[in-house]
Amino acid sequence: MRVITLDNPPVNALSFAYCAKLYEAIEAAHADDSVEAIVFTGANGLFSGGADVNDFNNELPAGAVTIRDVIRAVELSIKPHIAAIDGVALGGGLELALACDYRIATPRSKLGLPEIKLGLLPGAGGTQRLPRLIGARAALEFMLKGSAVPAARVLELGILDEIVDGNVLERAISLAKEIPPKRRISALEATIAPDVPMQAAPFVVAQAHKMVPPEDNGGFAAHKLIDAVQAAVELPFAFGVAREARLFDELVHSKASLALRHVFFAERELSKVPGLEATQQCHPERSRRTLAIAKAGVVGAGTMGSGIAITFAQSGVPVVVVDTNEEAVDKARQTVMGMFMYQVQKGRLTQEEAWQRGQSITFTDDWRELADADLVVEAVFEDPEVKREVFAKLDGIVKPEGLLASNTSTLDIDAMAAATGRPQKVLGLHFFVPANIMPLLEIVRGRATSAQTLATAFAIGKMLKKKAVLSGNAFGFIGNRMVFDYVREAFALAEEGTTPARVDAVMKAFGFPMGPFAMSDLSGLDIGLHVQKLQGKAGQGRTNVLEQLVEQKRLGQKAMAGFFKYDKAVGKGREPIADSVVEQLFAQEACKAGIASRVVTDREIRERLLYALINRGAYLLEEGVALRPGDIDIVFVYGYGFPPHHGGPMWYADEVGVARVYERIREFEATFGPQWKPSALLARVAASHDVGSLAHA
Ligand code: 3H9
């Protein structure tokens, strides 16, 4: 018996270089007559994270050994192989386990084929073996979701043979000593599902194609995956594997996969901040210099405050919410209870867990209860004076080592820090509504914010399972600052005679879950106007349509009328319905302001909105507000629904070609005015190559 340990830190990725070593070890075990069985296990706390995604960016080097070669060696051997899994087994890692004869795992293990999230499909036999093991329908569901699934569920599905409570390697070794028989999955016939006859295959395949997004709008890999599973059902194993390999190769070079792989790596770059020491960069939560957050405080029990409190409670951190308004507190209590009960209904929490989480949020009107909090986040009204008062008060109450954060979406962190005697411990933590659901967190660095405070903020982000992006302290930070320009163009288009419904439809067709007008309705037109006032831009628009809508109490979705109207009977009151009243208001005000009506193409709509984002993003890079183009992309993918298969606005600029984007922005500047002045960075990148790259600027 031979134990082969996958050991390629940090995640035992099956790179070409590592596969060459692995292949050698496997062939040595096969050649050794004293070895009757082979056990695979993993070092570094996991089985394997799958293929090395970096390898996909290069052409396959001549003579390279890949996971497919490793798996073929396992498959061809007459000796039994056992996968002993502890931790995650993903992608090619799970495909290796599927080529084994037995698969056993510890209860904490998670297994998955997440390739779809990278715009790929399992390309090392996974699409052919899984339908043979658990049926095509269950296999498709498993691969289309791409989640890392807990061992208990994987056992139920029939992918695992056994869950081992004790030492999984010991159990595998004892299993190997029994010399179990070969059980090649490749020798099985694929089925659809226990209750479905094989004749139903065409129907099941057609249904699956209908259920995923269109090929040109985020569904490219999903359709190819369905094709591969169809091959598993219709073709002998060897032909199916060949079809899978062809489909995989098409996907690896697709724009969507390149974009999704960019998002994957950009996400992992986020906490690498120049100036923070190496240990903090890699493992902020482990660094001694980060502060432990054992108790959190929130000021303000509004929508934002309750969402933030739930987020901390979900991560096991007790939290005190301070608000003197009884009505707001009652509402917040109901929101919190409702949220946890919903999770019980969905089977995500037990009654007991829901009760415990609910208990870990305390509401009070007594600010002194914040005294021993390690971190307090204020979520009060967006007004500079109110915020300053809150910070001054907190500074007098919270223990000196406690961090003070603002959840402001726009305002100056330095002004708040100046109201305290601990500016180095003041920062912005900008959550997005609803805070307990939205994955994005902007960490705003003030002039005096210390490295320790920042490192702690990244550790908090990780603890709360957020994508934490660092932003400089500038009005609107990264996300909102860029969205102002995006919405500005949407508004300008409406003033020029394009209906809000059409603008939104074009952006939805690009892949956003909603268009800019529906988004404005969701966040509230009154909020939009308030922010314009804070920015000193209210009343500077070409028309006063926004002001009029707010005066008419058309505040957006919450008022069942904004740029669109809403009807409780249509999409639970959340579906925007075009409203001719608003369209007429735009037409009438545009006429008064002397704005000529223009006929625009869908392409112009898309370009004006997306290039406004790109131009502002380039300014933010130039000004140092955003560290990297990838950081901006993460903000937009996770905070604003930018379609991940386009990689985020800055990646999209590269996809289109920066030179082309720049030229178009110059044309917009000439046609529409100085708001379109291109950033110097954009000009430089556009000039540097024919197809310049912002990613490498
Ligand atoms: C595949 O398998 C294709 C096959 O079907 C067919 C082939 C023919 N490759 O996330 P973390 C790096 S496709 C390269 O912070 P965690 C990551 O960049 C693959 N690098 O840790 C980071 O580097 P750095 C299918 C990878 O503990 C470091 O490892 N598999 C890969 O929070 C730590 O990462 C997947 O899609 C990789 N595959 O989570 C799994 N994975 O330190 C993708 C990680 O320089 N990976 N890195 O910043 C994951 O889901 C998580 O990383 C994992 C660990 C759960 C493994």
Side-chain angles (χ1 to χ4, degrees):
M1 198 268 318
R2 175 78 43 91
V3 175
I4 297 180
T5 304
L6 307 178
D7 187 1
N8 185 24
V11 299
N12 306 335
L14 302 170
S15 63
F16 298 153
Y18 190 67
C19 280
K21 284 192 199 163
L22 195 55
Y23 186 82
E24 227 174 82
I26 292 170
E27 286 298 62
H30 290 168
D32 187 340
D33 288 343
S34 68
V35 175
E36 287 170 318
I38 291 111
V39 173
F40 289 110
T41 185
N44 310 308
L46 77 165
F47 189 72
S48 169
D52 188 327
V53 181
N54 296 295
D55 283 347
F56 301 149
N57 296 338
N58 311 314
E59 286 306 313
L60 191 67
V65 179
T66 73
I67 308 180
R68 290 179 190 152
D69 301 307
V70 169
I71 286 178
R72 199 173 306 114
V74 171
E75 174 84 16
L76 291 178
S77 165
I78 52 163
K79 297 182 184 183
H81 294 69
I82 300 164
I85 300 168
D86 181 28
V88 293
L90 300 176
L94 177 53
E95 290 176 291
L96 172 61
L98 286 171
C100 292
D101 305 277
Y102 292 84
R103 285 159 296 281
I104 61 176
T106 54
R108 74 173 190 110
S109 299
K110 286 188 172 178
L111 282 70
L113 291 171
E115 286 86 345
I116 193 86
K117 295 187 177 170
L118 300 171
L120 299 169
L121 51 76
T127 66
Q128 303 306 298
R129 288 194 176 84
L130 206 55
R132 286 176 163 79
L133 185 63
I134 64 171
R137 196 166 64 187
L140 252 184
E141 200 181 314
F142 189 83
M143 292 186 282
L144 282 172
K145 273 200 187 138
S147 316
V149 181
R153 175 71 190 133
V154 181
L155 179 75
E156 266 170 31
L157 283 168
I159 300 174
L160 279 173
D161 294 298
E162 201 178 305
I163 291 189
V164 182
D165 264 325
N167 186 319
V168 72
L169 184 57
E170 275 173 18
R171 171 70 187 126
I173 292 171
S174 74
L175 200 61
K177 282 186 183 147
E178 293 163 18
I179 317 184
K182 282 297 286 180
R183 299 196 312 176
R184 285 190 186 95
I185 295 174
S186 58
L188 304 173
E189 286 286 325
T191 57
I192 305 289
D195 51 338
V196 183
M198 284 307 279
Q199 297 90 304
F203 174 75
V204 172
V205 167
Q207 282 299 106
H209 279 295
K210 273 193 208 150
M211 281 169 61
V212 298
E215 280 210 4
D216 58 356
N217 201 351
F220 192 53
H223 288 282
K224 300 280 177 227
L225 175 55
I226 298 166
D227 291 347
V229 170
Q230 184 177 5
V233 173
E234 291 175 356
L235 301 178
F237 184 75
F239 288 91
V241 164
R243 170 82 55 90
E244 176 199 82
R246 262 204 317 280
L247 293 166
F248 183 87
D249 289 348
E250 264 185 66
L251 290 174
V252 134
H253 300 294
S254 68
K255 277 187 180 175
S257 177
L258 286 167
L260 289 163
R261 274 141 55 194
H262 156 71
V263 171
F264 174 81
F265 285 113
E267 226 179 285
R268 276 147 188 90
E269 285 291 295
L270 294 175
S271 62
K272 294 176 185 161
V273 175
L276 295 192
E277 62 180 55
T279 51
Q280 287 170 331
Q281 288 175 18
C282 300
H283 302 289
E285 78 286 11
R286 284 186 220 154
S287 166
R288 262 200 227 132
R289 289 189 56 208
T290 62
L291 299 169
I293 306 296
K295 176 180 170 181
V298 172
V299 181
T303 311
M304 207 67 222
S306 352
I308 296 171
I310 294 172
T311 312
F312 277 100
Q314 274 170 345
S315 300
V317 177
V319 52
V320 173
V321 183
V322 176
D323 201 312
T324 46
N325 181 333
E326 263 178 48
E327 212 176 298
V329 168
D330 281 346
K331 207 171 148 211
R333 273 207 182 94
Q334 280 169 21
T335 308
V336 168
M337 288 280 290
M339 182 64 210
F340 289 132
M341 288 323 293
Y342 175 76
Q343 305 232 24
V344 173
Q345 275 167 23
K346 288 269 159 193
R348 291 186 204 132
L349 289 182
T350 62
Q351 287 279 6
E352 164 101 21
E353 286 164 338
W355 186 81
Q356 275 171 358
R357 287 190 186 177
Q359 289 301 104
S360 66
I361 304 179
T362 325
F363 291 93
T364 177
D365 58 2
D366 184 356
W367 287 64
R368 284 170 307 181
E369 291 195 32
L370 296 172
D372 59 346
D374 301 297
L375 162 77
V376 178
V377 187
E378 69 74 20
V380 300
F381 186 60
E382 193 79 343
D383 177 284
E385 206 36 57
V386 176
K387 300 266 190 203
R388 263 200 298 274
E389 277 169 25
V390 167
F391 269 81
K393 191 163 174 180
L394 285 174
D395 193 37
I397 292 171
V398 179
K399 61 183 179 184
E401 60 275 27
L403 301 186
L404 306 182
S406 171
N407 179 55
T408 177
S409 54
T410 50
L411 298 172
D412 181 6
I413 297 296
D414 290 336
M416 297 176 220
T420 75
R422 59 177 102 180
Q424 75 285 2
K425 291 193 171 290
V426 175
L427 76 162
L429 286 180
H430 178 212
F431 292 83
F432 288 69
V433 190
N436 49 310
I437 310 267
M438 291 293 283
L440 183 66
L441 174 68
E442 281 181 325
I443 295 176
V444 186
R445 175 181 9 205
R447 201 183 307 122
T449 309
S450 70
Q452 185 193 43
T453 301
L454 275 190
T456 306
F458 277 106
I460 292 169
K462 194 154 188 173
M463 175 180 82
L464 302 180
K465 298 195 172 65
K466 301 285 182 199
K467 318 285 175 199
V469 181
L470 185 66
S471 170
N473 178 30
F475 193 87
F477 314 125
I478 297 175
N480 281 346
R481 180 66 194 88
M482 287 170 65
V483 153
F484 297 150
D485 290 23
Y486 174 78
V487 171
R488 175 200 80 205
E489 282 311 300
F491 209 81
L493 281 158
E495 289 171 338
E496 292 157 24
T498 307
T499 64
R502 177 156 171 238
V503 173
D504 275 23
V506 169
M507 298 322 285
K508 278 180 78 171
F510 179 74
F512 279 93
M514 67 177 82
F517 287 104
M519 184 182 75
S520 302
D521 273 358
L522 190 62
S523 53
L525 303 198
D526 48 339
I527 306 288
L529 188 60
H530 179 67
V531 171
Q532 280 192 7
K533 282 183 188 153
L534 289 172
Q535 205 183 2
K537 289 206 167 160
Q540 289 182 16
R542 294 187 296 177
T543 67
N544 65 356
V545 171
L546 182 61
E547 286 83 346
Q548 287 199 41
L549 291 174
V550 172
E551 259 167 42
Q552 292 167 24
K553 300 275 177 268
R554 294 190 67 120
L555 304 182
Q557 214 188 88
K558 60 189 169 190
M560 301 300 279
F563 287 116
F564 297 109
K565 57 188 174 186
Y566 298 85
D567 182 335
K568 282 215 164 74
V570 184
K572 296 185 184 158
R574 291 191 210 120
E575 183 74 33
I577 304 166
D579 194 342
S580 55
V581 173
V582 175
E583 290 161 14
Q584 278 159 19
L585 181 65
F586 268 116
Q588 168 200 316
E589 292 304 316
C591 184
K592 276 192 215 158
I595 301 168
S597 167
R598 296 174 66 242
V599 177
V600 296
T601 59
D602 286 357
R603 182 179 168 165
E604 178 176 328
I605 296 174
R606 226 174 16 245
E607 286 177 339
R608 280 176 65 183
L609 269 69
L610 296 173
Y611 296 0
L613 284 180
I614 293 168
N615 197 28
R616 182 55 55 193
Y619 272 110
L620 295 184
L621 286 169
E622 207 178 295
E623 292 158 7
V625 174
L627 264 185
R628 290 164 286 241
D631 286 22
I632 294 178
D633 289 337
I634 294 296
V635 166
F636 271 82
V637 166
Y638 288 106
Y640 298 86
F642 195 100
H645 54 276
H646 284 302
M650 308 320 277
W651 178 265
Y652 182 68
D654 280 1
E655 201 177 284
V656 175
V658 176
R660 256 177 73 187
V661 172
Y662 175 71
E663 273 319 306
R664 203 66 180 119
I665 288 178
R666 294 278 310 274
E667 283 167 32
F668 292 153
E669 185 186 17
T671 314
F672 303 114
Q675 69 276 25
W676 275 103
K677 184 174 183 306
S679 99
L681 174 71
L682 209 58
R684 205 177 67 231
V685 175
S688 62
H689 314 277
D690 277 343
V691 186
S693 166
L694 271 175
H696 303 107

